[in-house]
Amino acid sequence: MTPLLLHSGAGLPTWIWDEVRADVFAQTRVVSYPRGTASLKEYAEIAAETAEGWGSYGVVGHSLGGVVG
């Protein structure tokens, strides 16, 4: 099954994905964005680091996480 990288909105905690993660049968990782101001490039770099080691994966994003995804 294709793993999923979950992108939250800016400043939201990673636990907002807990119920989603419990209901999907795929491996998941949640991108943890820093609080405060960061550039879009910095957000994309954080997301890429979170997905490191996965050859391919699906993306699910909310708010700013959708833009980055």
Side-chain angles (χ1 to χ4, degrees):
M1 183 167 285
T2 302
L4 296 173
L5 186 64
L6 308 173
H7 294 257
S8 300
L12 293 175
T14 58
W15 62 259
I16 67 161
W17 291 105
D18 287 353
E19 288 184 38
V20 172
R21 296 177 83 190
D23 289 338
V24 297
F25 297 104
Q27 181 181 6
T28 61
R29 292 181 190 165
V30 180
V31 180
S32 181
Y33 295 119
R35 292 195 175 267
T37 305
S39 69
L40 187 55
K41 179 183 178 194
E42 290 169 319
Y43 284 125
E45 289 170 347
I46 292 166
E49 290 170 6
T50 304
E52 201 166 305
W54 283 348
S56 63
Y57 52 92
V59 173
V60 179
H62 165 75
S63 191
L64 175 67
V67 174
V68 176

